[in-house]
Amino acid sequence: MSPVTELVAAMQLKDPYTRGHGDRVGQASALIGAELRLSGDLVAALRLAGTLHDIGKLGVPGALLRKPGPLTAAERRTVQRHPGHGYALVRDTGVPAVARVAVLHHHERLDGAGYPHGLAGRLIPWPARIVAVADALDAMTSTRSYRQARPAAAALAELRRCTGSQFDPCVVAALGRALSRHPWPPPVPQPAGAGAGSLVRRPFG
């Protein structure tokens, strides 16, 4: 078993929600990448990025991950350390740079109000902007202990409302085009790809 596979398996055991969530975020990230006409290697790396994006939650107490109600401010700060934990886990595993930067920066916001580094606009690496949208899509369309799932159309409307402040408009537009041809949630989870890629160019934005 590869180190990456072992990390994913460990995360799935710790937080059952993550079992399908990572796969779906990987698939949504790949759909967006394909819509943006990225190379096959980059699309595969984006799928891996989505699968691994929450791997840093291995460093978060399980009780917080499964807490049914709102988090306290201190608990929220603990959870918000997971991108840094994740980056430390994947940094030396041979995971492509596309996936590594997405793991670290997928909670940044275009307006600079995100974490862990408060990056804004085009300073946020493009893979992270893609995974952020894919992550939000699946979060809104999944049932959790504290709320019911939204229809995909409602989730897309919310993503569009938050473009320019939280999400990259180009990425949200690409997702909208992809969802016009692909059902969401996906009927059959797709396996994570392990393709290679690097931050050698910025394909959009």
Side-chain angles (χ1 to χ4, degrees), residues 29-80:
S29 299
L31 284 175
I32 294 168
E35 190 65 38
L36 291 168
R37 300 188 178 185
L38 302 184
S39 70
D41 282 352
L42 288 177
V43 170
L46 282 171
R47 185 186 291 273
L48 181 60
T51 302
L52 294 175
H53 76 285
D54 272 345
I55 203 70
K57 288 183 179 178
L58 281 170
V60 177
L64 288 187
L65 299 178
R66 295 185 293 272
K67 185 176 179 180
L71 299 178
T72 67
E75 290 170 338
R76 191 175 302 110
R77 286 193 296 272
T78 297
V79 173
Q80 287 178 347

Side-chain angles (χ1 to χ4, degrees), residues 160-196:
R160 286 169 172 156
R161 187 184 70 81
C162 295
T163 58
S165 58
Q166 185 170 355
F167 302 114
D168 187 314
C170 294
V171 177
V172 174
L175 175 64
R177 294 193 300 271
L179 292 185
S180 70
R181 300 189 306 277
H182 300 276
W184 192 268
V188 179
Q190 299 296 311

Side-chain angles (χ1 to χ4, degrees), residues 86-179:
Y87 183 76
L89 287 170
V90 302
R91 181 175 48 203
D92 299 320
T93 61
V95 168
V98 166
R100 294 198 306 270
V101 298
V103 167
L104 180 60
H105 293 298
H106 68 278
H107 281 297
E108 307 284 4
R109 294 171 46 117
L110 254 63
D111 60 9
Y115 63 91
H117 296 146
L119 302 182
R122 294 184 180 182
L123 293 179
I124 303 170
W126 63 264
R129 287 183 263 151
I130 289 175
V131 172
V133 169
D135 185 24
L137 169 71
D138 190 63
M140 287 188 281
T141 56
S142 299
T143 296
R144 300 299 303 271
S145 59
Y146 49 87
R147 58 153 176 75
Q148 290 297 308
R150 298 189 194 186
L156 186 58
E158 179 66 11
L159 288 167
R160 286 169 172 156
R161 187 184 70 81
C162 295
T163 58
S165 58
Q166 185 170 355
F167 302 114
D168 187 314
C170 294
V171 177
V172 174
L175 175 64
R177 294 193 300 271
L179 292 185

